[in-house]
Amino acid sequence: MSLKDKRVLITGAGGNIGTLLAAGLAGQCQSILCTDIRSADHDCVVQDLSKDKAWSIFENKVDVIFHLAAQTSAYRSNESIIADWQVNVKPVIELLDFLKNKTWRPAIVFSSTATVLGLTNKGLASTNPKEVPLTIYDIHKLTVEKYLKYY
């Protein structure tokens, strides 16, 4: 898909991947809107996507959402399952629920994790992998994958 005429939203833009993605997309799309839970820089909108109705401010303003926002510590996710769910699962469910009766249909690119397949000694993943999440973080990433497929 060409992004030339697309308005792009990058969530979690203050992180390493988000920062690199924003820099890589500069000049490659119509516009880039960056958001993060903390102020990453002067071009980043501070937005907590775990809050109710957080997605409404983006309605009809973006064509593609790169959803990178997440709590990324497997250790922290295991310590507080509900807090991790609120950051890693709830925002996507709310986005999908928000979209279900709208004509606005942005493309969604979701950043998951290879560890939803568990740990392996093999260099390459199979084309029909078995899901073996080992942490709450992995389970939540897999859960979001399933919601995105469902919707």
Side-chain angles (χ1 to χ4, degrees):
M1 164 178 38
S2 170
L3 296 176
K4 182 180 178 187
D5 298 321
K6 304 294 183 194
R7 300 165 299 168
V8 172
L9 169 64
I10 302 172
T11 69
N16 188 42
I17 295 172
T19 301
L20 293 171
L21 179 61
L25 290 177
Q28 304 297 314
C29 47
Q30 181 182 11
S31 64
I32 301 172
L33 175 59
C34 295
T35 185
D36 200 272
I37 198 166
R38 290 176 287 285
S39 178
D41 62 40
H42 65 280
D43 294 327
C44 198
V45 175
V46 177
Q47 180 73 13
D48 184 349
L49 297 173
S50 69
K51 300 297 182 198
D52 292 343
K53 304 190 187 311
W55 294 101
S56 62
I57 67 166
F58 304 114
E59 185 174 1
N60 296 315
K61 295 180 182 170
V62 298
D63 305 301
V64 180
I65 298 171
F66 286 90
H67 184 57
L68 307 176
Q71 182 294 113
T72 59
S73 167
Y75 300 108
R76 195 176 309 156
S77 70
N78 288 341
E79 290 172 2
S80 182
I81 296 169
I82 293 172
D84 189 78
W85 182 89
Q86 288 175 326
V87 173
N88 287 342
V89 180
K90 182 181 181 248
V92 177
I93 292 172
E94 289 192 347
L95 171 61
L96 296 172
D97 192 57
F98 180 74
L99 291 174
K100 72 180 179 186
N101 295 318
K102 304 282 184 184
T103 56
W104 176 50
R105 290 280 192 252
I108 301 169
V109 179
F110 174 66
S111 176
S112 187
T113 179
T115 54
V116 298
L117 306 177
L119 298 176
T120 178
N121 294 337
K122 300 174 185 173
L124 299 175
S126 136
T127 55
N128 294 310
K130 182 178 177 188
E131 297 161 349
V132 188
L134 301 175
T135 68
I136 295 300
Y137 175 78
D138 302 334
I139 291 168
H140 286 161
K141 288 293 191 170
L142 183 58
T143 299
V144 171
E145 288 181 25
K146 300 290 185 181
Y147 273 104
L148 288 167
K149 286 179 185 175
Y150 176 80
Y151 275 84

